[in-house]
Amino acid sequence: MSNPKVVVYTSDDCTNCDRVITKLSEWEVEFEERNITRNREYFKELQSKKVYGTPATFIDEEKVLGFQERKLKRTLGIQYEDRFLNTDAMNFS
């Protein structure tokens, strides 16, 4: 996915919001943060999307609710290593 539009709805004192912002920054993903605590219009905008909690990340209109690192990576097209997958262990012969 090249240059997706990423919008993250956050609120004050939200640990998972901070985690989403930190990961997106680590992955060098450009995003717009919309804090619903500080801006009532953002709050109404989020409610119009039938979402009532933060963090809520929209990646080209696909939503990722809460902090879901694997789903964020998958939706952004970022490769991730599955620490539970061992290809040698999959050979059962």
Side-chain angles (χ1 to χ4, degrees):
M1 184 181 293
S2 62
N3 297 325
K5 181 179 179 186
V6 180
V7 177
V8 183
Y9 290 89
T10 63
S11 56
D12 289 347
D13 301 319
C14 170
T15 304
N16 281 330
C17 297
D18 295 339
R19 292 172 72 193
V20 168
I21 296 298
T22 298
K23 284 297 177 185
L24 291 175
S25 297
E26 282 177 14
W27 300 330
E28 299 179 354
V29 172
E30 289 186 30
F31 63 91
E32 177 184 351
E33 180 179 0
R34 297 184 182 175
N35 186 303
I36 67 168
T37 305
R38 300 176 195 166
N39 187 321
R40 183 105 177 119
E41 289 305 310
Y42 292 154
F43 178 70
K44 291 177 184 177
E45 198 175 282
L46 188 59
Q47 284 185 322
S48 75
K49 298 175 183 285
K50 307 278 191 248
V51 178
Y52 302 96
T54 59
T57 306
F58 289 82
I59 303 165
D60 287 337
E61 299 306 315
E62 183 171 341
K63 66 183 164 190
V64 179
L65 302 178
F67 177 71
Q68 299 182 63
E69 184 174 350
R70 290 178 69 184
K71 187 171 182 181
L72 285 168
K73 279 186 166 185
R74 184 174 61 247
T75 306
L76 289 164
I78 298 171
Q79 293 293 330
Y80 60 88
E81 292 181 22
D82 191 344
R83 61 185 155 176
F84 300 109
L85 181 64
N86 181 342
T87 54
D88 292 336
M90 295 180 73
N91 297 324
F92 297 107
S93 54

